[in-house]
Amino acid sequence: MSVTLTDDDRRMAARDFFTPAQLAAFSDLALNDERAAWGERALLDPIRRLRMRRLPGEPDEGALCTWPPAPLGFGYAVEAPEGARSGVVRWQAVTDLIEVRLTPVRYGALRQAVDAEAAHARAYHRGPTPFRDHATWQACFYLPWSRRAALLALRSAAAKDAILPAVSPQPSLF
């Protein structure tokens, strides 16, 4: 028997559905129809992760969560030890959840972080070709590049967390 989703489940479903770049793309769309169409395309993306386990410190730690497609939104199912819960989360509800905390400063921080992360990813050079050898490539390019990539990913995640915070209280950076 399946029980309906809790408010925490709905918040976690929306939060975990988006990467920072996807949240920025979704927030850029002005109309609900555009957001729903974007969401439908995102659910059909073959490389999108539509299953995950809840992390330590989250409600129902270790529970398997899935996002099956549903009309006008997405399904969300939680296989918790106390019993399964499932329901549909509408795109309008996701939009409402985002817009509660989407201020111009938070949107600007998200957009800036996502754009910087994407630009840095485009600057990646795959191998040691212009460098003398692999060790030189790693020391002069890869290690500094990867440090910067990790910093930019952290910045993007913090900007996303300011808009879609974790269910467990976390301090906001903005």
Side-chain angles (χ1 to χ4, degrees), residues 46-66:
I47 62 170
R48 185 171 186 81
R49 139 188 85 80
L50 295 173
R51 304 172 66 91
M52 69 175 285
R53 293 212 177 265
R54 291 203 175 160
L55 300 173
E58 294 180 337
D60 299 315
E61 177 179 321
L64 179 66
C65 302
T66 57

PDB file of all heavy atoms in Angstrom, residues 46-66:
ATOM      1  N   PRO A  46      17.972  10.723 -21.759  1.00  0.00           N
ATOM      2  CA  PRO A  46      18.467   9.391 -21.385  1.00  0.00           C
ATOM      3  C   PRO A  46      19.632   9.409 -20.385  1.00  0.00           C
ATOM      4  O   PRO A  46      19.853   8.414 -19.708  1.00  0.00           O
ATOM      5  CB  PRO A  46      18.919   8.792 -22.724  1.00  0.00           C
ATOM      6  CG  PRO A  46      19.124   9.948 -23.629  1.00  0.00           C
ATOM      7  CD  PRO A  46      18.210  11.041 -23.158  1.00  0.00           C
ATOM      8  N   ILE A  47      20.351  10.514 -20.278  1.00  0.00           N
ATOM      9  CA  ILE A  47      21.470  10.527 -19.332  1.00  0.00           C
ATOM     10  C   ILE A  47      21.075  11.099 -17.967  1.00  0.00           C
ATOM     11  O   ILE A  47      21.886  11.162 -17.064  1.00  0.00           O
ATOM     12  CB  ILE A  47      22.683  11.305 -19.895  1.00  0.00           C
ATOM     13  CG1 ILE A  47      22.338  12.764 -20.154  1.00  0.00           C
ATOM     14  CG2 ILE A  47      23.231  10.640 -21.124  1.00  0.00           C
ATOM     15  CD1 ILE A  47      23.533  13.614 -20.469  1.00  0.00           C
ATOM     16  N   ARG A  48      19.828  11.497 -17.825  1.00  0.00           N
ATOM     17  CA  ARG A  48      19.366  12.070 -16.562  1.00  0.00           C
ATOM     18  C   ARG A  48      19.213  10.978 -15.509  1.00  0.00           C
ATOM     19  O   ARG A  48      18.729   9.899 -15.772  1.00  0.00           O
ATOM     20  CB  ARG A  48      18.027  12.759 -16.772  1.00  0.00           C
ATOM     21  CG  ARG A  48      17.556  13.472 -15.543  1.00  0.00           C
ATOM     22  CD  ARG A  48      16.336  14.316 -15.870  1.00  0.00           C
ATOM     23  NE  ARG A  48      15.960  15.091 -14.749  1.00  0.00           N
ATOM     24  CZ  ARG A  48      16.513  16.237 -14.384  1.00  0.00           C
ATOM     25  NH1 ARG A  48      17.469  16.735 -15.104  1.00  0.00           N
ATOM     26  NH2 ARG A  48      16.113  16.888 -13.341  1.00  0.00           N
ATOM     27  N   ARG A  49      19.635  11.288 -14.312  1.00  0.00           N
ATOM     28  CA  ARG A  49      19.515  10.363 -13.201  1.00  0.00           C
ATOM     29  C   ARG A  49      18.096  10.484 -12.641  1.00  0.00           C
ATOM     30  O   ARG A  49      17.698  11.538 -12.171  1.00  0.00           O
ATOM     31  CB  ARG A  49      20.607  10.724 -12.190  1.00  0.00           C
ATOM     32  CG  ARG A  49      20.252  10.689 -10.768  1.00  0.00           C
ATOM     33  CD  ARG A  49      21.361  11.241  -9.891  1.00  0.00           C
ATOM     34  NE  ARG A  49      21.329  12.672  -9.743  1.00  0.00           N
ATOM     35  CZ  ARG A  49      20.513  13.318  -8.911  1.00  0.00           C
ATOM     36  NH1 ARG A  49      19.665  12.665  -8.185  1.00  0.00           N
ATOM     37  NH2 ARG A  49      20.552  14.622  -8.823  1.00  0.00           N
ATOM     38  N   LEU A  50      17.345   9.393 -12.705  1.00  0.00           N
ATOM     39  CA  LEU A  50      15.965   9.409 -12.213  1.00  0.00           C
ATOM     40  C   LEU A  50      15.771   8.500 -11.003  1.00  0.00           C
ATOM     41  O   LEU A  50      14.657   8.146 -10.653  1.00  0.00           O
ATOM     42  CB  LEU A  50      15.003   9.010 -13.340  1.00  0.00           C
ATOM     43  CG  LEU A  50      14.954   9.974 -14.516  1.00  0.00           C
ATOM     44  CD1 LEU A  50      14.110   9.406 -15.652  1.00  0.00           C
ATOM     45  CD2 LEU A  50      14.424  11.319 -14.078  1.00  0.00           C
ATOM     46  N   ARG A  51      16.884   8.113 -10.382  1.00  0.00           N
ATOM     47  CA  ARG A  51      16.858   7.304  -9.157  1.00  0.00           C
ATOM     48  C   ARG A  51      17.994   7.777  -8.264  1.00  0.00           C
ATOM     49  O   ARG A  51      19.081   8.067  -8.746  1.00  0.00           O
ATOM     50  CB  ARG A  51      17.095   5.830  -9.464  1.00  0.00           C
ATOM     51  CG  ARG A  51      16.171   5.211 -10.435  1.00  0.00           C
ATOM     52  CD  ARG A  51      16.655   3.803 -10.794  1.00  0.00           C
ATOM     53  NE  ARG A  51      16.605   2.890  -9.683  1.00  0.00           N
ATOM     54  CZ  ARG A  51      15.569   2.117  -9.384  1.00  0.00           C
ATOM     55  NH1 ARG A  51      14.527   2.136 -10.140  1.00  0.00           N
ATOM     56  NH2 ARG A  51      15.594   1.321  -8.351  1.00  0.00           N
ATOM     57  N   MET A  52      17.747   7.833  -6.998  1.00  0.00           N
ATOM     58  CA  MET A  52      18.818   8.135  -6.051  1.00  0.00           C
ATOM     59  C   MET A  52      18.419   7.688  -4.655  1.00  0.00           C
ATOM     60  O   MET A  52      17.246   7.470  -4.375  1.00  0.00           O
ATOM     61  CB  MET A  52      19.167   9.623  -6.059  1.00  0.00           C
ATOM     62  CG  MET A  52      18.108  10.533  -5.492  1.00  0.00           C
ATOM     63  SD  MET A  52      18.616  12.242  -5.382  1.00  0.00           S
ATOM     64  CE  MET A  52      19.695  12.187  -3.994  1.00  0.00           C
ATOM     65  N   ARG A  53      19.396   7.555  -3.805  1.00  0.00           N
ATOM     66  CA  ARG A  53      19.151   7.227  -2.405  1.00  0.00           C
ATOM     67  C   ARG A  53      19.320   8.494  -1.573  1.00  0.00           C
ATOM     68  O   ARG A  53      20.157   9.330  -1.864  1.00  0.00           O
ATOM     69  CB  ARG A  53      20.119   6.159  -1.924  1.00  0.00           C
ATOM     70  CG  ARG A  53      19.874   4.842  -2.602  1.00  0.00           C
ATOM     71  CD  ARG A  53      20.192   3.684  -1.683  1.00  0.00           C
ATOM     72  NE  ARG A  53      19.867   2.440  -2.340  1.00  0.00           N
ATOM     73  CZ  ARG A  53      18.726   1.794  -2.191  1.00  0.00           C
ATOM     74  NH1 ARG A  53      17.804   2.274  -1.379  1.00  0.00           N
ATOM     75  NH2 ARG A  53      18.491   0.672  -2.817  1.00  0.00           N
ATOM     76  N   ARG A  54      18.506   8.615  -0.560  1.00  0.00           N
ATOM     77  CA  ARG A  54      18.613   9.771   0.335  1.00  0.00           C
ATOM     78  C   ARG A  54      19.890   9.678   1.151  1.00  0.00           C
ATOM     79  O   ARG A  54      20.314   8.601   1.552  1.00  0.00           O
ATOM     80  CB  ARG A  54      17.387   9.867   1.219  1.00  0.00           C
ATOM     81  CG  ARG A  54      16.156  10.245   0.404  1.00  0.00           C
ATOM     82  CD  ARG A  54      15.108  10.855   1.241  1.00  0.00           C
ATOM     83  NE  ARG A  54      13.997  11.313   0.428  1.00  0.00           N
ATOM     84  CZ  ARG A  54      12.799  11.543   0.917  1.00  0.00           C
ATOM     85  NH1 ARG A  54      12.556  11.381   2.214  1.00  0.00           N
ATOM     86  NH2 ARG A  54      11.832  11.968   0.138  1.00  0.00           N
ATOM     87  N   LEU A  55      20.455  10.839   1.388  1.00  0.00           N
ATOM     88  CA  LEU A  55      21.749  10.936   2.063  1.00  0.00           C
ATOM     89  C   LEU A  55      21.610  10.919   3.578  1.00  0.00           C
ATOM     90  O   LEU A  55      20.531  11.170   4.117  1.00  0.00           O
ATOM     91  CB  LEU A  55      22.427  12.235   1.623  1.00  0.00           C
ATOM     92  CG  LEU A  55      22.690  12.362   0.128  1.00  0.00           C
ATOM     93  CD1 LEU A  55      23.208  13.753  -0.189  1.00  0.00           C
ATOM     94  CD2 LEU A  55      23.656  11.299  -0.339  1.00  0.00           C
ATOM     95  N   PRO A  56      22.724  10.661   4.277  1.00  0.00           N
ATOM     96  CA  PRO A  56      22.684  10.732   5.746  1.00  0.00           C
ATOM     97  C   PRO A  56      22.261  12.134   6.201  1.00  0.00           C
ATOM     98  O   PRO A  56      22.658  13.136   5.619  1.00  0.00           O
ATOM     99  CB  PRO A  56      24.146  10.457   6.149  1.00  0.00           C
ATOM    100  CG  PRO A  56      24.709   9.671   5.006  1.00  0.00           C
ATOM    101  CD  PRO A  56      24.019  10.183   3.777  1.00  0.00           C
ATOM    102  N   GLY A  57      21.419  12.167   7.217  1.00  0.00           N
ATOM    103  CA  GLY A  57      20.917  13.432   7.736  1.00  0.00           C
ATOM    104  C   GLY A  57      19.597  13.852   7.109  1.00  0.00           C
ATOM    105  O   GLY A  57      18.934  14.751   7.606  1.00  0.00           O
ATOM    106  N   GLU A  58      19.211  13.226   5.991  1.00  0.00           N
ATOM    107  CA  GLU A  58      17.921  13.536   5.360  1.00  0.00           C
ATOM    108  C   GLU A  58      16.851  12.623   5.940  1.00  0.00           C
ATOM    109  O   GLU A  58      17.160  11.546   6.465  1.00  0.00           O
ATOM    110  CB  GLU A  58      18.005  13.336   3.843  1.00  0.00           C
ATOM    111  CG  GLU A  58      18.922  14.293   3.152  1.00  0.00           C
ATOM    112  CD  GLU A  58      18.989  14.068   1.651  1.00  0.00           C
ATOM    113  OE1 GLU A  58      18.693  12.958   1.174  1.00  0.00           O
ATOM    114  OE2 GLU A  58      19.346  15.036   0.955  1.00  0.00           O
ATOM    115  N   PRO A  59      15.583  13.020   5.852  1.00  0.00           N
ATOM    116  CA  PRO A  59      14.514  12.124   6.304  1.00  0.00           C
ATOM    117  C   PRO A  59      14.560  10.803   5.533  1.00  0.00           C
ATOM    118  O   PRO A  59      14.868  10.784   4.345  1.00  0.00           O
ATOM    119  CB  PRO A  59      13.237  12.902   5.961  1.00  0.00           C
ATOM    120  CG  PRO A  59      13.663  14.328   5.879  1.00  0.00           C
ATOM    121  CD  PRO A  59      15.084  14.311   5.390  1.00  0.00           C
ATOM    122  N   ASP A  60      14.300   9.710   6.200  1.00  0.00           N
ATOM    123  CA  ASP A  60      14.324   8.367   5.597  1.00  0.00           C
ATOM    124  C   ASP A  60      15.667   8.085   4.924  1.00  0.00           C
ATOM    125  O   ASP A  60      15.750   7.664   3.775  1.00  0.00           O
ATOM    126  CB  ASP A  60      13.184   8.191   4.586  1.00  0.00           C
ATOM    127  CG  ASP A  60      11.817   8.353   5.206  1.00  0.00           C
ATOM    128  OD1 ASP A  60      11.597   7.790   6.283  1.00  0.00           O
ATOM    129  OD2 ASP A  60      10.989   9.068   4.617  1.00  0.00           O
ATOM    130  N   GLU A  61      16.717   8.311   5.661  1.00  0.00           N
ATOM    131  CA  GLU A  61      18.081   8.101   5.170  1.00  0.00           C
ATOM    132  C   GLU A  61      18.207   6.742   4.475  1.00  0.00           C
ATOM    133  O   GLU A  61      17.765   5.723   4.990  1.00  0.00           O
ATOM    134  CB  GLU A  61      19.027   8.168   6.370  1.00  0.00           C
ATOM    135  CG  GLU A  61      20.464   7.917   6.073  1.00  0.00           C
ATOM    136  CD  GLU A  61      21.312   8.029   7.328  1.00  0.00           C
ATOM    137  OE1 GLU A  61      21.053   8.905   8.164  1.00  0.00           O
ATOM    138  OE2 GLU A  61      22.239   7.222   7.451  1.00  0.00           O
ATOM    139  N   GLY A  62      18.768   6.749   3.285  1.00  0.00           N
ATOM    140  CA  GLY A  62      18.976   5.526   2.520  1.00  0.00           C
ATOM    141  C   GLY A  62      17.795   5.079   1.681  1.00  0.00           C
ATOM    142  O   GLY A  62      17.903   4.125   0.914  1.00  0.00           O
ATOM    143  N   ALA A  63      16.658   5.750   1.787  1.00  0.00           N
ATOM    144  CA  ALA A  63      15.478   5.363   1.011  1.00  0.00           C
ATOM    145  C   ALA A  63      15.720   5.622  -0.475  1.00  0.00           C
ATOM    146  O   ALA A  63      16.327   6.619  -0.858  1.00  0.00           O
ATOM    147  CB  ALA A  63      14.259   6.150   1.473  1.00  0.00           C
ATOM    148  N   LEU A  64      15.253   4.718  -1.313  1.00  0.00           N
ATOM    149  CA  LEU A  64      15.367   4.870  -2.757  1.00  0.00           C
ATOM    150  C   LEU A  64      14.247   5.774  -3.252  1.00  0.00           C
ATOM    151  O   LEU A  64      13.076   5.566  -2.939  1.00  0.00           O
ATOM    152  CB  LEU A  64      15.290   3.515  -3.454  1.00  0.00           C
ATOM    153  CG  LEU A  64      15.367   3.548  -4.973  1.00  0.00           C
ATOM    154  CD1 LEU A  64      16.737   4.040  -5.424  1.00  0.00           C
ATOM    155  CD2 LEU A  64      15.072   2.174  -5.545  1.00  0.00           C
ATOM    156  N   CYS A  65      14.611   6.796  -4.036  1.00  0.00           N
ATOM    157  CA  CYS A  65      13.647   7.746  -4.586  1.00  0.00           C
ATOM    158  C   CYS A  65      13.707   7.682  -6.112  1.00  0.00           C
ATOM    159  O   CYS A  65      14.798   7.596  -6.684  1.00  0.00           O
ATOM    160  CB  CYS A  65      13.950   9.164  -4.124  1.00  0.00           C
ATOM    161  SG  CYS A  65      13.959   9.329  -2.338  1.00  0.00           S
ATOM    162  N   THR A  66      12.558   7.742  -6.763  1.00  0.00           N
ATOM    163  CA  THR A  66      12.504   7.716  -8.228  1.00  0.00           C
ATOM    164  C   THR A  66      11.578   8.822  -8.721  1.00  0.00           C
ATOM    165  O   THR A  66      10.681   9.264  -8.007  1.00  0.00           O
ATOM    166  CB  THR A  66      11.996   6.357  -8.752  1.00  0.00           C
ATOM    167  OG1 THR A  66      10.704   6.090  -8.188  1.00  0.00           O
ATOM    168  CG2 THR A  66      12.949   5.232  -8.395  1.00  0.00           C
TER     169      THR A  66
END
